[in-house]
């Protein structure tokens, strides 16, 4: 078991497959060409399979593949197939994607054993979608969501980062979209993880504000009375309509006390928190030819250093150097 110094059991591993992305969401990546990790630094699928097996032997139950845009990496279904061999100890393999390339991999991913998919979608208006992501791709993302539905991925989650003045006028439209497509639509508060370091508190639309705006138009009923290790408050639509919404409010309603997550960056660094300022070089240990026992020791030591909480709301908060796309959101 992986237990940290604050008695939290770590059960979820997020693996970033690449720091690269075909989008340039303004709250995540800079415009232009960022300095990507060199290819030889990325963990290979064989390395990931080996490390994932160790993590699962230590009690990891869920693995989420993310990035950057994970589907930029070639042959992701091959990796999913390798990870599937870790079931049933591994209970869940999920993917977070911007959806642009999902359609052409969807069937192979399903056949390889992918259990769940989460899409990111920050606007339902084509022009605004382009402004936010830098890509004219709304239709492709909507198609991908439809395909995920048809292939039987359930639940399908869709994430939107709500930023004041950019897309906060769409929250009710997003809720209607959740009803029309029977989705779990999750609203995420904007976090200081943008490459431009432009984040400011007044750009954050609080979870409460989002919930109230929806509730006014479409009454909501709270589904979970505690968040447990989940990051979101879940609501169903009071009139028995399909779909649900989730509110993820890391800035205004911190949930670190129940965090069960750990992250592995594409270049093989363990990050114990999104907001860590320290990383643990698992790639270095692995490539030094260390034994499995040494790797286990290294992972356990890293977990013991997991931060008690993020410090976004502290006056001396320092934004981590690496942004979401590099950390693996
Ligand atoms: N490229 C994939 C995607 O966009 O779904 C996976 C990686 S992305 C970094 C994972 C999630 O992080 C996305 O849902 C994205 O909206 C979210 N994200 C990125 N930057 C963020 C920020 N500054 N605040 C809150 N969420 C952020
Ligand atoms: Fe790419 Fe996802 Fe970051 Fe957008 S949020 S730039 S899609 S990694």
């Amino acid at each position: 078991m992986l237990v940290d110094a604050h008695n939290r059991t770590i059960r979820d591993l997020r693996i970033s497959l690449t720091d690269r992305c075909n989008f340039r969401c303004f709250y995540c990546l800079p415009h232009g060409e960022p300095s990507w990790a060199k290819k030889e630094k990325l963990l290979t699928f064989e390395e990931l399979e080996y490390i994932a097996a160790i993590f699962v032997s230590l009690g990891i139950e869920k693995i989420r593949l993310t990035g950057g845009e994970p589907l930029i990496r070639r042959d992701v279904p091959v990796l999913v197939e390798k990870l599937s061999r870790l079931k049933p100890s591994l209970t869940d393999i999920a993917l977070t994607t911007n959806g642009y390339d999902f359609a052409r991999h969807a069937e192979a991913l399903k056949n390889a054993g992918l259990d769940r998919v989460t899409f990111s979608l920050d606007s339902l208006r084509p022009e605004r979608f382009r402004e936010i992501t830098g890509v004219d791709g709304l239709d492709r993302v909507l198609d991908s969501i439809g395909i995920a539905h048809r292939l039987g991925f359930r639940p399908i989650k869709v994430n939107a980062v709500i930023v004041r003045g950019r897309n906060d006028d769409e929250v009710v439209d997003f809720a209607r979209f959740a009803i029309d497509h029977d989705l779990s639509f999750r609203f995420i508060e904007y976090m200081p993880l943008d490459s431009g370091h432009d984040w400011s508190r007044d750009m954050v639309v609080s979870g409460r504000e989002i919930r109230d705006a929806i509730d006014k138009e479409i009454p909501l009923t709270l589904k979970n009375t505690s968040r447990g290790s989940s990051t979101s408050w879940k609501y169903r639509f009071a009139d028995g309509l399909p779909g649900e919404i989730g509110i993820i409010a890391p800035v205004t309603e911190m949930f670190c006390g129940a965090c069960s997550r750990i992250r592995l960056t594409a270049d093989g660094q363990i990050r114990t928190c999104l907001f860590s300022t320290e990383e643990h070089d698992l790639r270095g240990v692995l490539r030094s030819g260390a034994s499995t026992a040494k790797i286990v020791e290294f992972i356990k030591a890293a977990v013991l250093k997991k931060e008690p909480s993020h410090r976004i709301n502290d006056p001396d908060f320092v934004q981590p150097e690496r942004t979401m796309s590099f950390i693996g959101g």
Side-chain angles (χ1 to χ4, degrees):
M1 277 294 166
L2 287 172
V3 181
D4 76 3
H6 310 280
N7 215 18
R8 294 171 296 189
T9 305
I10 308 303
R11 298 189 195 282
D12 302 347
L13 172 66
R14 299 192 163 212
I15 300 178
S16 171
L17 296 187
T18 174
D19 52 356
R20 290 175 185 255
C21 191
N22 44 0
F23 280 17
R24 291 290 181 278
C25 304
F26 73 89
Y27 53 72
C28 180
L29 271 176
H31 286 283
E33 270 313 279
S35 51
W36 307 116
K38 292 211 165 53
K39 197 165 170 239
E40 59 271 20
K41 288 195 171 170
L42 300 189
L43 295 182
T44 64
F45 284 178
E46 288 66 31
E47 287 173 327
L48 284 173
E49 183 185 16
Y50 175 57
I51 286 176
I54 294 177
F55 270 107
V56 170
S57 75
L58 291 170
I60 289 292
E61 294 170 355
K62 296 181 179 180
I63 290 183
R64 177 170 291 278
L65 303 177
T66 181
E69 175 46 43
L71 295 179
I72 289 226
R73 190 91 184 245
R74 211 179 295 161
D75 297 329
V76 177
V78 172
L79 176 64
V80 172
E81 208 267 316
K82 287 179 191 292
L83 296 179
S84 286
R85 295 183 204 144
L86 301 173
K87 292 179 178 178
S89 303
L90 178 65
T91 59
D92 188 69
I93 306 174
L95 172 81
T96 304
T97 172
N98 62 29
Y100 192 76
D101 280 326
F102 178 79
R104 64 193 167 100
H105 300 294
E107 207 161 335
L109 287 166
K110 182 81 185 162
N111 292 339
L114 184 72
D115 296 294
R116 292 185 302 124
V117 58
T118 300
F119 295 97
S120 297
L121 175 62
D122 300 311
S123 179
L124 293 166
R125 304 178 192 176
E127 183 51 27
R128 183 181 283 177
F129 182 95
R130 193 186 58 73
E131 279 165 22
I132 291 178
T133 64
V135 174
D136 190 7
L138 177 61
D139 284 347
R140 276 177 75 144
V141 177
L142 296 179
D143 279 352
S144 289
I145 295 173
I147 287 167
H149 234 285
R150 282 198 289 287
L151 286 175
F153 285 104
R154 294 287 186 282
I156 298 173
K157 294 183 182 171
V158 178
N159 288 346
V161 180
I162 305 302
V163 181
R164 195 175 306 285
R166 297 297 292 253
N167 60 355
D168 50 333
D169 54 348
E170 285 192 68
V171 294
V172 176
D173 294 348
F174 288 139
R176 295 213 166 93
F177 183 79
I179 294 169
D180 292 345
H181 299 272
D182 191 10
L183 300 168
S184 173
F185 204 103
R186 292 138 38 97
F187 298 86
I188 306 178
E189 287 179 350
Y190 180 25
M191 292 183 275
L193 288 168
D194 56 313
S195 69
H197 290 227
D198 290 329
W199 181 90
S200 69
R201 200 160 287 277
D202 53 350
M203 294 164 91
V204 178
V205 184
S206 73
R208 173 173 285 268
E209 201 179 326
I210 296 166
R211 191 210 53 206
D212 289 351
I214 298 169
D215 189 48
K216 221 166 94 189
E217 299 292 324
I218 315 167
L220 297 171
T221 318
L222 189 60
K223 251 176 118 173
N224 52 338
T225 45
S226 95
R227 283 182 292 192
S229 65
S230 149
T231 50
S232 65
W233 292 111
K234 296 191 181 77
Y235 294 85
R236 56 169 68 92
F237 299 103
D239 298 336
L241 296 165
E244 64 170 31
I245 68 158
I247 303 278
I248 303 177
V251 181
T252 64
E253 295 176 59
M254 188 164 74
F255 41 71
C256 308
C259 183
S260 59
R261 269 164 233 104
I262 191 168
R263 291 179 154 79
L264 187 60
T265 65
D267 56 359
Q269 308 298 302
I270 293 178
R271 285 185 74 101
T272 47
C273 175
L274 271 178
F275 294 93
S276 293
T277 46
E278 187 191 355
E279 296 183 339
H280 308 273
D281 185 12
L282 185 59
R283 184 190 76 234
V285 176
L286 179 71
R287 292 190 181 168
S288 72
S291 64
T292 306
K294 278 269 174 253
I295 295 173
V296 165
E297 210 177 286
F298 183 83
I299 293 172
K300 285 187 169 169
V303 164
L304 278 175
K305 291 197 181 151
K306 185 167 163 67
E307 300 74 351
S309 65
H310 71 61
R311 306 183 63 236
I312 302 175
N313 298 313
D314 292 5
D316 58 347
F317 168 73
V318 182
Q319 181 166 340
E321 233 169 77
R322 304 229 257 183
T323 69
M324 265 303 213
S325 66
F326 295 92
I327 298 167

